[in-house]
Amino acid sequence: ETSLKKLGTDYLDLYLIHWPRPEDLSAEWRELDVETWKAMEELYRAGKVRAIGVSNFQPADLENLWATAAVKPMVNQVLCHISNTPLSLLSFCRSRGILLEAYSPVAHGEAKKNPAIQRMAQRYGVSVPQLCIRYDLQLGMVVLPKAANPEHMRENASLDFTISEEDMDRLLHLPPIQDYGPFRHFPVFGGKKNG
């Protein structure tokens, strides 16, 4: 209710549980997620939110909700970019009708520093961010790129090209980015999983 008032709207388009397993509540995460989900289902049924979902949830986290949920998670927002593609999670979510949304498709800018990604973008005559966004779209994901500059926003939306199957396979199998620079302290970028 506070968020709705601050935003001056009657509803939110999407509401997410951000992290399934807080470190300080590791033993209680299952109950906490289920209780939180029940409250979100109430918001959904009341029309306060149009869609409810999760972020950074792995199959075990989703199964925990799935067991008791009246309204199934509609979206799972996850880190997905060239060299870091959670294929088994993609498959799991698709099998349950959960849409995947990719955040950080340019790896917080680190993909721009990768020579293999740079060369591939040059071959297609596009920027590295455009290649990264197209990659996630071709995986069937909704993509959430970050851009404050209006010119970058326009460029990010200009994706009238297709990455070949061979090149998608090459990008899929690039070695993972090892260092996310100043963002390495976040668990999802530092290699620490949420469980």
Side-chain angles (χ1 to χ4, degrees), residues 44-79:
Y44 176 75
R45 283 191 289 270
K48 300 287 183 181
V49 293
R50 297 280 169 96
I52 53 178
V54 296
S55 183
N56 301 307
F57 274 51
Q58 297 300 309
D61 308 312
L62 290 162
E63 289 288 6
N64 181 55
L65 290 184
W66 203 264
T68 60
V71 179
K72 305 300 183 192
M74 299 165 186
V75 175
N76 189 8
Q77 186 185 84
V78 298
L79 176 67

Side-chain angles (χ1 to χ4, degrees), residues 80 84-94 135 139 172-173:
C80 181
N84 182 5
T85 307
L87 290 177
S88 61
L89 182 61
L90 281 164
S91 177
F92 180 90
C93 288
R94 282 185 186 134
Y135 172 84
L139 290 173
L172 181 67
H173 292 97

